[in-house]
Amino acid sequence: MDGEISENLLKKAGTEEDVFEEARLKDRIWNETKKIWVVAGPAIFTRFSTFGVNVISQAFVGHIGSTELAAYALVFTVLFRFANGILLGMASALETLCGQAYGAKQYHMLGIYLQRSWIVLSLCSIFLVPVFFLTAPILKALGQDEEIAQVAGTIAIWFIPAMFSFIVSFTCQMFLQAQSKNMIIAYMAAFSLSIHVFLSWLLTVKYKFGIPGAMVSTILAYWIPNIGQLMFVMCGGCRETWKGFSTLAFKDLWPVIKLSLSSGAMLCLELWYNTVLILLTGNLKNAEVSIDALSICLNINGWEMMITLGFLAAASVRVSNELGRGSARAAKFSIAMTVMTSLAIGLVLFFFFLFFRGRLAYIFTESHKVALAVADLSPLLACSLLLNSVQPVLSGVAVGAGWQSIVAYVNIACYYFVGIPIGVVLGYVINMQVKGVWIGMLFGVFVQTVVLVIITYRTDWDKQVSVAHKSINKWFVEKIEEPNPKAQNA
């Protein structure tokens, strides 16, 4: 059976390469651009909408009281993002599996992979639950204000249902993205955002339910898109790839767990890197102005990351699809097109922020000192935006090819053995303050980007096609044919 599958895949790979070679360059560019934006466009919009849910929640909580706002910001920034990073990272294993299986036309495997990912993420979420219950004592032990820590403990418990929403949200998004059917995700995100604004106003402003009102609206904002996505998947939107629940989901879980852990490590190492930047800045002189200026820059950087994460999704889908399909040249062409598209947007933003510098700070603050500090940091912000336009795309390539464990090691070396030590030396020893810390961190990202470029460039993509096909063969489950009612009646 494995031999037959391999033979069919090799024949198909030859055909795909011939078709790719026969197409004109202009047609290839146009077709690839359409395929990239079919995934990237809805992914970017969905991420902006999700980011918007958090901004809206924080704004309405701010109207309840300053203590509640500080507690919410603390829980969301430290705890919720931590859980988000772990679950998103582990779910990205599904991008590799579903993308390659869809490219190889093993459509029935996508539903099995989806169910396996639900099992893995559910187990992970259960292990994370105690951290939410212990938030108050943990924050008190870390020296946070007792009143803020107590309120944060209450808010953290409300966030538990939101955390469990990620199980469905992340996995369904990646399942649908692999098939380029993610417009439904964007529609549901827009609908959820509008409902969230109305409910937040109704429950916190009109009826004064306080934290419970704000959190009920937030939980619904996370779960409404999930209900819509599940209905779409199970009620006919994915007839080829969803064949119903199966006990096969419990088979071969260990390889999925290993790939999920590698994916989680890869993403969390990046998220924690930015957290270290804020922690290091908090110990510098004039920390209040430094943190205010840095938070404005990181806020802008965060919005721009929503765009590049859309291209990360596009890169992972396109690469995994082409590897599964058996076309190494199409995979390489897709990588080049995705990087160039994202880099073009990054260059526009690079020159934009170099030109406007500190003037943009007045959108966020009235402090002249903070605006001057932002102007001073703007060149570094511009460089961050430029690097962010390339690095996440290459991470998406790694996800599509299944290199998560390799990138995790690269992240450890570049971020924690290069970026942070240089940042500490420049910021504290040479006394460059926040600029020194950020230059060191940027250098770590630059080294990581260079390493990923070298790895991607020197990869034998024909060999990667063979590796992808071996994985497909290894986890292949024979499709169970559905009974034909007409034949039975005859």
Side-chain angles (χ1 to χ4, degrees):
M1 176 57 69
D2 286 350
E4 289 178 18
I5 295 170
S6 298
E7 188 178 342
N8 291 334
L9 288 171
L10 287 171
K11 285 179 182 177
K12 188 175 68 177
T15 306
E16 295 289 347
E17 291 290 333
D18 293 341
V19 171
F20 182 78
E21 280 299 307
E22 288 171 8
R24 292 182 301 170
L25 180 61
K26 183 175 74 173
D27 293 333
R28 280 191 237 160
I29 291 172
W30 175 242
N31 289 333
E32 187 58 39
T33 301
K34 286 193 294 184
K35 289 175 181 177
I36 288 169
W37 280 104
V38 161
V39 178
I44 291 168
F45 180 81
T46 302
R47 281 167 172 79
F48 270 117
S49 298
T50 305
F51 202 73
V53 166
N54 302 324
V55 171
I56 290 164
S57 296
Q58 195 157 345
F60 278 99
V61 169
H63 286 289
I64 298 169
S66 58
T67 302
E68 286 80 3
L69 178 61
Y72 181 92
L74 198 60
V75 173
F76 179 78
T77 305
V78 178
L79 184 63
F80 197 60
R81 275 189 180 175
F82 173 77
N84 180 300
I86 290 175
L87 295 174
L88 178 60
M90 294 188 74
S92 72
L94 198 63
E95 288 185 279
T96 308
L97 299 170
C98 284
Q100 292 182 1
Y102 190 79
K105 297 186 178 179
Q106 304 293 346
Y107 299 132
H108 66 288
M109 287 301 300
L110 272 74
I112 294 172
Y113 289 143
L114 176 62
Q115 292 169 62
R116 286 175 182 171
S117 194
W118 283 342
I119 295 167
V120 173
L121 263 67
S122 295
L123 292 171
C124 181
S125 298
I126 290 167
F127 282 113
L128 287 171
V129 166
V131 181
F132 284 81
F133 279 105
L134 296 171
T135 298
I138 289 171
L139 291 176
K140 287 176 186 176
L142 292 173
Q144 292 295 326
D145 179 82
E146 192 162 330
E147 187 180 358
I148 292 175
Q150 203 61 44
V151 177
T154 303
I155 292 173
I157 293 170
W158 278 102
F159 263 119
I160 292 173
M163 178 193 67
F164 277 98
S165 74
F166 292 150
I167 298 169
V168 177
S169 176
F170 294 152
T171 53
C172 282
Q173 282 179 30
M174 290 163 190
F175 173 78
L176 292 167
Q177 277 178 2
Q179 308 166 63
S180 298
K181 290 184 177 181
N182 54 335
M183 275 306 296
I184 181 65
I185 304 170
Y187 292 142
M188 293 307 303
F191 176 70
S192 175
L193 190 65
S194 58
I195 292 291
H196 182 45
V197 173
F198 172 71
L199 278 179
S200 294
W201 170 81
L202 187 70
L203 297 174
T204 59
V205 177
K206 186 172 177 60
Y207 289 111
K208 310 286 185 186
F209 284 125
I211 288 294
M215 293 310 301
V216 165
S217 181
T218 303
I219 291 165
L220 288 173
Y222 280 112
W223 273 102
I224 286 171
N226 290 352
I227 295 166
Q229 289 169 38
L230 286 172
M231 288 177 65
F232 179 80
V233 170
M234 296 179 182
C235 298
C238 302
R239 292 184 187 278
E240 288 184 311
T241 53
W242 177 261
K243 300 296 181 182
F245 292 99
S246 173
T247 54
L248 294 171
F250 294 93
K251 184 182 177 184
D252 293 328
L253 273 178
W254 180 240
V256 179
I257 291 171
K258 286 199 295 184
L259 186 59
S260 298
L261 289 172
S262 299
S263 303
M266 172 185 137
L267 190 66
C268 285
L269 288 167
E270 294 193 23
L271 292 175
W272 295 337
Y273 190 54
N274 290 328
T275 303
V276 170
L277 174 59
I278 295 173
L279 292 174
L280 287 174
T281 306
N283 293 318
L284 293 170
K285 296 174 184 175
N286 200 14
E288 186 177 343
V289 172
S290 298
I291 291 174
D292 285 347
L294 186 62
S295 65
I296 290 170
C297 291
L298 291 179
N299 196 10
I300 294 168
N301 193 52
W303 282 104
E304 190 266 348
M305 277 298 290
M306 300 302 106
I307 298 172
T308 54
L309 286 173
F311 284 103
L312 183 154
S316 66
V317 169
R318 293 296 304 126
V319 169
S320 59
N321 280 178
E322 294 302 342
L323 290 178
R325 193 173 286 121
S327 182
R329 289 176 184 173
K332 288 190 285 186
F333 186 73
S334 179
I335 293 167
M337 284 297 300
T338 311
V339 170
M340 285 191 291
T341 305
S342 184
L343 181 60
I345 295 171
L347 282 168
V348 171
L349 294 171
F350 173 79
F351 289 113
F352 178 83
F353 284 101
L354 277 183
F355 178 77
F356 282 101
R357 295 173 72 89
R359 278 169 282 185
L360 289 169
Y362 289 107
I363 299 172
F364 303 93
T365 183
E366 295 178 1
S367 170
H368 184 61
K369 284 184 179 180
V370 174
L372 286 175
V374 171
D376 197 36
L377 292 174
S378 288
L380 296 177
L381 172 62
C383 290
S384 285
L385 298 178
L386 190 61
L387 283 174
N388 284 346
S389 66
V390 177
Q391 182 266 330
V393 177
L394 296 176
S395 293
V397 171
V399 171
W403 301 339
Q404 287 93 329
S405 58
I406 295 172
V407 177
Y409 289 121
V410 171
N411 287 352
I412 290 172
C414 297
Y415 289 165
Y416 298 93
F417 295 156
V418 177
I420 291 174
I422 291 175
V424 170
V425 170
L426 293 177
Y428 287 84
V429 180
I430 302 179
N431 203 31
M432 290 178 69
Q433 299 295 303
V434 68
K435 285 181 72 176
V437 174
W438 201 348
I439 288 169
M441 307 292 269
L442 270 179
F443 188 72
V445 177
F446 174 74
V447 173
Q448 184 219 26
T449 304
V450 170
V451 171
L452 290 179
V453 167
I454 293 169
I455 290 172
T456 304
Y457 180 75
R458 297 188 65 179
T459 295
D460 183 342
W461 287 97
D462 290 308
K463 185 179 178 181
Q464 285 300 312
V465 168
S466 300
V467 171
H469 287 170
K470 283 179 183 177
S471 297
I472 293 165
N473 291 344
K474 181 180 176 183
W475 288 335
F476 178 78
V477 178
E478 190 68 44
K479 183 178 178 181
I480 300 171
E481 296 293 336
E482 295 177 4
N484 187 337
K486 291 182 180 179
Q488 287 179 350
N489 293 333

